[in-house]
Amino acid sequence: MRRKLIAGNWKMNTDRVTAVALAKSVAARAGEVSGVDLLVCPPNVYLYPVVQAVNGTAVRVGAQNMYHEPNGAFTGETSAAMLRDVGAKFVILGHSERRHILGESDDDVNRKTLAALAAELVPIVCVGELLEEREAGRTAEVIRRQFTGSLADVSEEQVQRLVIAYEPVWAIGTGKVATPDQAEEVHADLRSLLVERYNEKIAGRVRILYGGSVKASNAGDLLAKPNVDGALVGGASLKTDEFLGIALAGAAV
Ligand code: PEP
């Protein structure tokens, strides 16, 4: 039985005061949600105050990106150990905005995934097709390529410590959510890729989140699908009521 994970990607939003306030308001209501893991991912500079704000609660904190090297002359970058040092437990990797705006490749995502796992952070590895790829019937091929490239050299033991997020690029921040059947189809494909690469037992343990315009009103139908193990939430994670509403929908299925 996979516990649902509801993760909020705050992207480059909030300031120190509003980040702490949002984290505290989510933490204050975390008790309303049972059987679901809650994660918030603020901008890196606010990780430490947010970790302090949720200290002693069930809310976990993650980063939105990291660099694969442990230290050295990499101006402006942040290592996995630094994220751990300030209390982050998770890190989102290969988000579509990083792939498509900042030019990250599957190789980059793979290096980061291996470094995060080595530092005992939980990577949330994102994959997802562009609208033109879906329209050209290439979704399965794109997902296979990103899965294979991003998870190269990830061992049987390691894959059980990571999370995969399916985020169709056309659904991110657009208000256009994938239908529950569209999401389930790709999630089932990802589960099959895990079986093919590892085995049934291991594949059954890996959580696969859906991301792309999830809100409280559409979360229930998505989260009810057998291979949808949670949500990676952008815009709606900036509002406590919406975020908790998604988590409550996850708890209800
Ligand atoms: C995201 O940033 O991962 C995301 C899914 O954004 P939104 O929920 O706003 O579509």
Side-chain angles (χ1 to χ4, degrees), residues 220-242:
D221 290 342
L222 287 159
L223 293 167
K225 289 292 178 186
N227 285 293
V228 179
D229 306 316
L232 180 52
V233 185
S237 70
L238 296 169
K239 296 179 203 130
T240 306
D241 280 349
E242 277 292 319

Side-chain angles (χ1 to χ4, degrees), residues 9-11 92 95-97 126 167-168 171-175 210-215 232-237:
N9 173 14
W10 295 0
K11 311 195 186 190
I92 299 169
H95 188 277
S96 82
E97 286 147 19
C126 303
E167 296 209 306
I172 298 179
T174 59
Y210 168 77
S213 298
V214 178
K215 45 190 187 193
L232 180 52
V233 185
S237 70

Side-chain angles (χ1 to χ4, degrees), residues 99-228:
R99 289 179 184 269
H100 298 292
I101 302 174
L102 294 144
E104 278 188 17
S105 65
D106 287 329
D107 280 351
D108 295 325
V109 179
N110 181 234
R111 279 190 283 269
K112 292 179 183 203
T113 300
L114 294 171
L117 287 164
E120 300 201 345
L121 278 172
V122 177
I124 300 178
V125 181
C126 303
V127 297
E129 81 287 1
L130 297 165
L131 182 59
E132 54 265 38
E133 292 167 335
R134 173 163 283 268
E135 286 174 347
R138 293 181 47 224
T139 300
E141 167 205 326
V142 170
I143 298 299
R144 175 180 282 274
R145 192 191 65 227
Q146 292 179 339
F147 171 93
T148 308
S150 303
L151 299 190
D153 299 324
V154 171
S155 70
E156 290 192 356
E157 180 275 320
Q158 288 174 319
V159 77
Q160 298 176 64
R161 292 194 279 118
L162 60 72
V163 174
I164 297 173
Y166 167 54
E167 296 209 306
V169 180
W170 48 271
I172 298 179
T174 59
K176 247 206 254 172
V177 65
T179 66
D181 286 342
Q182 283 174 323
E184 174 62 18
E185 186 182 15
V186 177
H187 283 231
D189 279 356
L190 281 162
R191 190 85 59 206
S192 302
L193 288 168
L194 285 163
V195 174
E196 189 182 302
R197 169 86 187 275
Y198 301 97
N199 61 48
E200 195 95 35
K201 194 164 146 202
I202 289 174
R205 290 185 178 146
V206 179
R207 291 191 283 195
I208 306 175
L209 314 184
Y210 168 77
S213 298
V214 178
K215 45 190 187 193
S217 59
N218 60 27
D221 290 342
L222 287 159
L223 293 167
K225 289 292 178 186
N227 285 293
V228 179

Side-chain angles (χ1 to χ4, degrees), residues 51-113:
V51 165
Q52 289 177 310
V54 303
N55 188 26
T57 77
V59 179
R60 295 285 164 269
V61 180
Q64 301 171 18
N65 180 40
M66 52 165 264
Y67 195 59
H68 65 274
E69 292 287 353
N71 49 52
F74 304 104
T75 302
E77 295 293 345
T78 308
S79 72
M82 290 169 183
L83 297 180
R84 284 285 311 236
D85 192 30
V86 294
K89 303 278 189 235
F90 290 68
V91 60
I92 299 169
L93 297 176
H95 188 277
S96 82
E97 286 147 19
R98 298 212 58 88
R99 289 179 184 269
H100 298 292
I101 302 174
L102 294 144
E104 278 188 17
S105 65
D106 287 329
D107 280 351
D108 295 325
V109 179
N110 181 234
R111 279 190 283 269
K112 292 179 183 203
T113 300

